[in-house]
PDB file of all heavy atoms in Angstrom:
ATOM      1  N   TYR A  71       1.334 -22.025  -3.339  1.00 88.00           N
ATOM      2  CA  TYR A  71       0.603 -22.737  -4.399  1.00 88.00           C
ATOM      3  C   TYR A  71       0.024 -21.748  -5.413  1.00 88.00           C
ATOM      4  O   TYR A  71       0.092 -21.973  -6.612  1.00 88.00           O
ATOM      5  CB  TYR A  71      -0.575 -23.546  -3.826  1.00 88.00           C
ATOM      6  CG  TYR A  71      -0.184 -24.690  -2.910  1.00 88.00           C
ATOM      7  CD1 TYR A  71      -1.027 -25.076  -1.871  1.00 88.00           C
ATOM      8  CD2 TYR A  71       0.991 -25.397  -3.096  1.00 88.00           C
ATOM      9  CE1 TYR A  71      -0.686 -26.119  -1.020  1.00 88.00           C
ATOM     10  CE2 TYR A  71       1.332 -26.441  -2.247  1.00 88.00           C
ATOM     11  CZ  TYR A  71       0.489 -26.803  -1.216  1.00 88.00           C
ATOM     12  OH  TYR A  71       0.812 -27.820  -0.389  1.00 88.00           O
ATOM     13  N   ASN A  75       1.241 -21.380  -9.420  1.00 83.00           N
ATOM     14  CA  ASN A  75       0.320 -21.696 -10.502  1.00 83.00           C
ATOM     15  C   ASN A  75       0.342 -20.660 -11.614  1.00 83.00           C
ATOM     16  O   ASN A  75      -0.018 -20.959 -12.745  1.00 83.00           O
ATOM     17  CB  ASN A  75      -1.108 -21.828  -9.953  1.00 83.00           C
ATOM     18  CG  ASN A  75      -1.438 -23.268  -9.644  1.00 83.00           C
ATOM     19  OD1 ASN A  75      -1.593 -24.071 -10.548  1.00 83.00           O
ATOM     20  ND2 ASN A  75      -1.505 -23.606  -8.369  1.00 83.00           N
ATOM     21  N   PHE A  97       8.764 -31.670  -6.947  1.00 87.00           N
ATOM     22  CA  PHE A  97       7.964 -30.968  -7.947  1.00 87.00           C
ATOM     23  C   PHE A  97       8.732 -29.796  -8.556  1.00 87.00           C
ATOM     24  O   PHE A  97       8.137 -28.866  -9.078  1.00 87.00           O
ATOM     25  CB  PHE A  97       6.635 -30.524  -7.348  1.00 87.00           C
ATOM     26  CG  PHE A  97       5.778 -31.699  -6.972  1.00 87.00           C
ATOM     27  CD1 PHE A  97       5.612 -32.058  -5.643  1.00 87.00           C
ATOM     28  CD2 PHE A  97       5.177 -32.468  -7.953  1.00 87.00           C
ATOM     29  CE1 PHE A  97       4.855 -33.157  -5.295  1.00 87.00           C
ATOM     30  CE2 PHE A  97       4.419 -33.574  -7.614  1.00 87.00           C
ATOM     31  CZ  PHE A  97       4.259 -33.914  -6.277  1.00 87.00           C
ATOM     32  N   MET A  99      10.170 -27.224  -7.454  1.00 91.00           N
ATOM     33  CA  MET A  99       9.740 -25.898  -7.035  1.00 91.00           C
ATOM     34  C   MET A  99      10.862 -25.056  -6.464  1.00 91.00           C
ATOM     35  O   MET A  99      10.729 -23.856  -6.333  1.00 91.00           O
ATOM     36  CB  MET A  99       8.650 -26.022  -5.968  1.00 91.00           C
ATOM     37  CG  MET A  99       7.353 -26.531  -6.508  1.00 91.00           C
ATOM     38  SD  MET A  99       6.305 -26.939  -5.132  1.00 91.00           S
ATOM     39  CE  MET A  99       6.125 -25.326  -4.388  1.00 91.00           C
ATOM     40  N   GLN A 237      -8.219 -34.852  30.550  1.00 89.00           N
ATOM     41  CA  GLN A 237      -8.678 -34.463  29.228  1.00 89.00           C
ATOM     42  C   GLN A 237      -9.596 -33.248  29.337  1.00 89.00           C
ATOM     43  O   GLN A 237     -10.427 -33.172  30.245  1.00 89.00           O
ATOM     44  CB  GLN A 237      -9.437 -35.621  28.578  1.00 89.00           C
ATOM     45  CG  GLN A 237      -9.718 -35.371  27.115  1.00 89.00           C
ATOM     46  CD  GLN A 237     -10.493 -36.505  26.483  1.00 89.00           C
ATOM     47  OE1 GLN A 237     -11.105 -37.310  27.171  1.00 89.00           O
ATOM     48  NE2 GLN A 237     -10.487 -36.557  25.173  1.00 89.00           N
ATOM     49  N   GLU A 365       9.146 -37.106   3.475  1.00 89.00           N
ATOM     50  CA  GLU A 365       8.324 -36.334   2.556  1.00 89.00           C
ATOM     51  C   GLU A 365       6.866 -36.214   3.027  1.00 89.00           C
ATOM     52  O   GLU A 365       6.213 -35.201   2.806  1.00 89.00           O
ATOM     53  CB  GLU A 365       8.373 -36.983   1.164  1.00 89.00           C
ATOM     54  CG  GLU A 365       7.628 -36.172   0.133  1.00 89.00           C
ATOM     55  CD  GLU A 365       7.708 -36.781  -1.259  1.00 89.00           C
ATOM     56  OE1 GLU A 365       8.420 -37.784  -1.448  1.00 89.00           O
ATOM     57  OE2 GLU A 365       7.048 -36.226  -2.152  1.00 89.00           O
ATOM     58  N   TYR A 369       1.488 -35.466   6.808  1.00 94.00           N
ATOM     59  CA  TYR A 369       0.361 -36.396   6.923  1.00 94.00           C
ATOM     60  C   TYR A 369       0.452 -37.173   8.241  1.00 94.00           C
ATOM     61  O   TYR A 369      -0.547 -37.401   8.910  1.00 94.00           O
ATOM     62  CB  TYR A 369       0.386 -37.417   5.785  1.00 94.00           C
ATOM     63  CG  TYR A 369       0.147 -36.866   4.403  1.00 94.00           C
ATOM     64  CD1 TYR A 369       0.577 -37.582   3.286  1.00 94.00           C
ATOM     65  CD2 TYR A 369      -0.518 -35.662   4.201  1.00 94.00           C
ATOM     66  CE1 TYR A 369       0.360 -37.119   1.999  1.00 94.00           C
ATOM     67  CE2 TYR A 369      -0.738 -35.192   2.915  1.00 94.00           C
ATOM     68  CZ  TYR A 369      -0.296 -35.924   1.809  1.00 94.00           C
ATOM     69  OH  TYR A 369      -0.518 -35.463   0.549  1.00 94.00           O
ATOM     70  N   ASP A 380      -7.573 -39.275  22.058  1.00 94.00           N
ATOM     71  CA  ASP A 380      -8.545 -40.348  22.292  1.00 94.00           C
ATOM     72  C   ASP A 380      -7.854 -41.627  22.770  1.00 94.00           C
ATOM     73  O   ASP A 380      -8.373 -42.349  23.612  1.00 94.00           O
ATOM     74  CB  ASP A 380      -9.362 -40.622  21.026  1.00 94.00           C
ATOM     75  CG  ASP A 380     -10.385 -39.511  20.764  1.00 94.00           C
ATOM     76  OD1 ASP A 380     -10.918 -38.974  21.749  1.00 94.00           O
ATOM     77  OD2 ASP A 380     -10.624 -39.184  19.594  1.00 94.00           O
ATOM     78  N   GLN A 397      -3.688 -46.164   8.175  1.00 95.00           N
ATOM     79  CA  GLN A 397      -4.447 -46.263   6.933  1.00 95.00           C
ATOM     80  C   GLN A 397      -4.668 -44.902   6.301  1.00 95.00           C
ATOM     81  O   GLN A 397      -4.566 -44.726   5.088  1.00 95.00           O
ATOM     82  CB  GLN A 397      -5.792 -46.933   7.201  1.00 95.00           C
ATOM     83  CG  GLN A 397      -6.272 -47.651   5.947  1.00 95.00           C
ATOM     84  CD  GLN A 397      -7.756 -47.597   5.793  1.00 95.00           C
ATOM     85  OE1 GLN A 397      -8.484 -47.499   6.776  1.00 95.00           O
ATOM     86  NE2 GLN A 397      -8.214 -47.662   4.569  1.00 95.00           N
ATOM     87  N   ASP A 401      -3.493 -43.875   2.580  1.00 93.00           N
ATOM     88  CA  ASP A 401      -4.436 -43.396   1.567  1.00 93.00           C
ATOM     89  C   ASP A 401      -3.994 -42.057   0.984  1.00 93.00           C
ATOM     90  O   ASP A 401      -4.094 -41.830  -0.221  1.00 93.00           O
ATOM     91  CB  ASP A 401      -5.840 -43.253   2.168  1.00 93.00           C
ATOM     92  CG  ASP A 401      -6.494 -44.611   2.417  1.00 93.00           C
ATOM     93  OD1 ASP A 401      -5.962 -45.621   1.891  1.00 93.00           O
ATOM     94  OD2 ASP A 401      -7.504 -44.674   3.136  1.00 93.00           O
ATOM     95  N   GLN A 405      -2.558 -41.025  -2.924  1.00 87.00           N
ATOM     96  CA  GLN A 405      -3.029 -39.915  -3.753  1.00 87.00           C
ATOM     97  C   GLN A 405      -1.859 -39.115  -4.303  1.00 87.00           C
ATOM     98  O   GLN A 405      -1.858 -38.717  -5.450  1.00 87.00           O
ATOM     99  CB  GLN A 405      -3.919 -38.981  -2.920  1.00 87.00           C
ATOM    100  CG  GLN A 405      -5.259 -39.557  -2.574  1.00 87.00           C
ATOM    101  CD  GLN A 405      -6.147 -39.659  -3.789  1.00 87.00           C
ATOM    102  OE1 GLN A 405      -6.272 -38.732  -4.554  1.00 87.00           O
ATOM    103  NE2 GLN A 405      -6.747 -40.816  -3.971  1.00 87.00           N
ATOM    104  N   GLY A 408       0.093 -40.035  -7.471  1.00 45.00           N
ATOM    105  CA  GLY A 408      -0.473 -39.786  -8.788  1.00 45.00           C
ATOM    106  C   GLY A 408       0.570 -39.255  -9.749  1.00 45.00           C
ATOM    107  O   GLY A 408       0.633 -39.633 -10.907  1.00 45.00           O
TER     108      GLY A 408
ATOM    109  N   ASN B  52      -2.236 -31.837  -6.711  1.00 87.00           N
ATOM    110  CA  ASN B  52      -1.611 -31.383  -5.469  1.00 87.00           C
ATOM    111  C   ASN B  52      -1.490 -29.869  -5.455  1.00 87.00           C
ATOM    112  O   ASN B  52      -0.720 -29.313  -4.686  1.00 87.00           O
ATOM    113  CB  ASN B  52      -0.250 -32.042  -5.277  1.00 87.00           C
ATOM    114  CG  ASN B  52       0.685 -31.745  -6.421  1.00 87.00           C
ATOM    115  OD1 ASN B  52       0.398 -30.898  -7.257  1.00 87.00           O
ATOM    116  ND2 ASN B  52       1.799 -32.438  -6.470  1.00 87.00           N
ATOM    117  N   LEU B  53      -2.221 -29.202  -6.312  1.00 86.00           N
ATOM    118  CA  LEU B  53      -2.239 -27.739  -6.454  1.00 86.00           C
ATOM    119  C   LEU B  53      -0.966 -27.217  -7.109  1.00 86.00           C
ATOM    120  O   LEU B  53      -0.829 -26.025  -7.314  1.00 86.00           O
ATOM    121  CB  LEU B  53      -2.426 -27.011  -5.111  1.00 86.00           C
ATOM    122  CG  LEU B  53      -3.719 -27.260  -4.332  1.00 86.00           C
ATOM    123  CD1 LEU B  53      -3.707 -26.453  -3.041  1.00 86.00           C
ATOM    124  CD2 LEU B  53      -4.928 -26.874  -5.155  1.00 86.00           C
ATOM    125  N   LEU B  54      -0.041 -28.102  -7.438  1.00 82.00           N
ATOM    126  CA  LEU B  54       1.225 -27.639  -8.016  1.00 82.00           C
ATOM    127  C   LEU B  54       1.405 -28.134  -9.444  1.00 82.00           C
ATOM    128  O   LEU B  54       1.492 -27.353 -10.372  1.00 82.00           O
ATOM    129  CB  LEU B  54       2.399 -28.126  -7.164  1.00 82.00           C
ATOM    130  CG  LEU B  54       2.491 -27.467  -5.798  1.00 82.00           C
ATOM    131  CD1 LEU B  54       3.487 -28.186  -4.925  1.00 82.00           C
ATOM    132  CD2 LEU B  54       2.894 -26.007  -5.963  1.00 82.00           C
ATOM    133  N   GLN B  58      -4.232 -34.432 -12.804  1.00 91.00           N
ATOM    134  CA  GLN B  58      -4.183 -35.652 -13.598  1.00 91.00           C
ATOM    135  C   GLN B  58      -5.562 -36.309 -13.593  1.00 91.00           C
ATOM    136  O   GLN B  58      -6.103 -36.636 -12.542  1.00 91.00           O
ATOM    137  CB  GLN B  58      -3.137 -36.580 -12.972  1.00 91.00           C
ATOM    138  CG  GLN B  58      -2.905 -37.832 -13.734  1.00 91.00           C
ATOM    139  CD  GLN B  58      -2.293 -38.887 -12.842  1.00 91.00           C
ATOM    140  OE1 GLN B  58      -1.750 -38.587 -11.787  1.00 91.00           O
ATOM    141  NE2 GLN B  58      -2.387 -40.128 -13.270  1.00 91.00           N
ATOM    142  N   SER B  73     -13.322 -49.375   2.658  1.00 92.00           N
ATOM    143  CA  SER B  73     -12.001 -49.608   3.248  1.00 92.00           C
ATOM    144  C   SER B  73     -11.147 -48.350   3.206  1.00 92.00           C
ATOM    145  O   SER B  73     -10.071 -48.301   3.784  1.00 92.00           O
ATOM    146  CB  SER B  73     -11.294 -50.732   2.492  1.00 92.00           C
ATOM    147  OG  SER B  73     -10.939 -50.273   1.204  1.00 92.00           O
ATOM    148  N   SER B  75     -10.024 -44.421   3.920  1.00 93.00           N
ATOM    149  CA  SER B  75     -10.252 -43.440   4.982  1.00 93.00           C
ATOM    150  C   SER B  75     -11.031 -42.233   4.454  1.00 93.00           C
ATOM    151  O   SER B  75     -11.651 -41.516   5.223  1.00 93.00           O
ATOM    152  CB  SER B  75      -8.950 -43.002   5.631  1.00 93.00           C
ATOM    153  OG  SER B  75      -7.945 -42.828   4.692  1.00 93.00           O
ATOM    154  N   ARG B  78     -14.614 -42.975   5.027  1.00 94.00           N
ATOM    155  CA  ARG B  78     -14.943 -42.803   6.441  1.00 94.00           C
ATOM    156  C   ARG B  78     -15.041 -41.320   6.801  1.00 94.00           C
ATOM    157  O   ARG B  78     -15.954 -40.888   7.486  1.00 94.00           O
ATOM    158  CB  ARG B  78     -13.878 -43.483   7.297  1.00 94.00           C
ATOM    159  CG  ARG B  78     -14.460 -44.505   8.232  1.00 94.00           C
ATOM    160  CD  ARG B  78     -13.446 -45.181   9.142  1.00 94.00           C
ATOM    161  NE  ARG B  78     -12.097 -44.714   9.064  1.00 94.00           N
ATOM    162  CZ  ARG B  78     -11.104 -45.403   8.501  1.00 94.00           C
ATOM    163  NH1 ARG B  78     -11.337 -46.551   7.927  1.00 94.00           N
ATOM    164  NH2 ARG B  78      -9.876 -44.917   8.508  1.00 94.00           N
ATOM    165  N   THR B 159     -16.591 -31.834  32.254  1.00 86.00           N
ATOM    166  CA  THR B 159     -15.542 -31.279  31.410  1.00 86.00           C
ATOM    167  C   THR B 159     -16.155 -31.131  30.025  1.00 86.00           C
ATOM    168  O   THR B 159     -16.266 -32.082  29.259  1.00 86.00           O
ATOM    169  CB  THR B 159     -14.323 -32.222  31.353  1.00 86.00           C
ATOM    170  OG1 THR B 159     -14.038 -32.661  32.668  1.00 86.00           O
ATOM    171  CG2 THR B 159     -13.128 -31.510  30.791  1.00 86.00           C
ATOM    172  N   GLU B 252     -13.297 -38.110  19.946  1.00 90.00           N
ATOM    173  CA  GLU B 252     -13.438 -39.203  18.975  1.00 90.00           C
ATOM    174  C   GLU B 252     -14.012 -38.744  17.659  1.00 90.00           C
ATOM    175  O   GLU B 252     -14.856 -39.411  17.063  1.00 90.00           O
ATOM    176  CB  GLU B 252     -14.303 -40.335  19.551  1.00 90.00           C
ATOM    177  CG  GLU B 252     -13.647 -41.069  20.684  1.00 90.00           C
ATOM    178  CD  GLU B 252     -14.612 -42.038  21.333  1.00 90.00           C
ATOM    179  OE1 GLU B 252     -14.891 -43.057  20.689  1.00 90.00           O
ATOM    180  OE2 GLU B 252     -15.090 -41.746  22.441  1.00 90.00           O
ATOM    181  N   HIS B 256     -16.012 -33.449  14.329  1.00 95.00           N
ATOM    182  CA  HIS B 256     -15.154 -33.192  13.169  1.00 95.00           C
ATOM    183  C   HIS B 256     -16.057 -33.056  11.948  1.00 95.00           C
ATOM    184  O   HIS B 256     -16.473 -34.034  11.357  1.00 95.00           O
ATOM    185  CB  HIS B 256     -14.167 -34.356  13.004  1.00 95.00           C
ATOM    186  CG  HIS B 256     -12.859 -33.946  12.403  1.00 95.00           C
ATOM    187  ND1 HIS B 256     -12.774 -33.389  11.153  1.00 95.00           N
ATOM    188  CD2 HIS B 256     -11.592 -33.988  12.870  1.00 95.00           C
ATOM    189  CE1 HIS B 256     -11.487 -33.129  10.889  1.00 95.00           C
ATOM    190  NE2 HIS B 256     -10.764 -33.474  11.922  1.00 95.00           N
ATOM    191  N   GLN B 269      -1.525 -29.925   6.622  1.00 84.00           N
ATOM    192  CA  GLN B 269      -0.094 -30.200   6.677  1.00 84.00           C
ATOM    193  C   GLN B 269       0.227 -31.180   5.564  1.00 84.00           C
ATOM    194  O   GLN B 269      -0.556 -32.064   5.267  1.00 84.00           O
ATOM    195  CB  GLN B 269       0.241 -30.879   8.004  1.00 84.00           C
ATOM    196  CG  GLN B 269       0.357 -29.929   9.166  1.00 84.00           C
ATOM    197  CD  GLN B 269       0.541 -30.713  10.452  1.00 84.00           C
ATOM    198  OE1 GLN B 269      -0.362 -31.401  10.898  1.00 84.00           O
ATOM    199  NE2 GLN B 269       1.709 -30.609  11.043  1.00 84.00           N
ATOM    200  N   GLN B 271       1.456 -32.437   1.585  1.00 86.00           N
ATOM    201  CA  GLN B 271       1.017 -32.101   0.240  1.00 86.00           C
ATOM    202  C   GLN B 271      -0.500 -32.097   0.115  1.00 86.00           C
ATOM    203  O   GLN B 271      -1.193 -32.861   0.751  1.00 86.00           O
ATOM    204  CB  GLN B 271       1.599 -33.109  -0.757  1.00 86.00           C
ATOM    205  CG  GLN B 271       3.072 -32.876  -1.015  1.00 86.00           C
ATOM    206  CD  GLN B 271       3.718 -34.082  -1.625  1.00 86.00           C
ATOM    207  OE1 GLN B 271       3.086 -34.813  -2.385  1.00 86.00           O
ATOM    208  NE2 GLN B 271       4.969 -34.311  -1.283  1.00 86.00           N
ATOM    209  N   MET B 276      -9.438 -34.826  -4.286  1.00 94.00           N
ATOM    210  CA  MET B 276     -10.362 -35.468  -3.353  1.00 94.00           C
ATOM    211  C   MET B 276     -11.164 -34.407  -2.600  1.00 94.00           C
ATOM    212  O   MET B 276     -12.370 -34.545  -2.395  1.00 94.00           O
ATOM    213  CB  MET B 276      -9.537 -36.322  -2.385  1.00 94.00           C
ATOM    214  CG  MET B 276     -10.293 -37.387  -1.639  1.00 94.00           C
ATOM    215  SD  MET B 276     -11.050 -38.636  -2.699  1.00 94.00           S
ATOM    216  CE  MET B 276      -9.676 -39.728  -3.048  1.00 94.00           C
TER     217      MET B 276
END
Side-chain angles (χ1 to χ4, degrees):
Chain A
Y71 295 149
N75 265 290
F97 295 106
M99 290 168 63
Q237 190 181 18
E365 185 178 355
Y369 293 159
D380 286 325
Q397 208 215 332
D401 287 347
Q405 289 290 313
Chain B
N52 59 11
L53 298 180
L54 291 169
Q58 184 201 342
S73 70
S75 41
R78 236 182 4 253
T159 315
E252 292 172 73
H256 210 299
Q269 280 174 292
Q271 285 162 33
M276 199 62 81

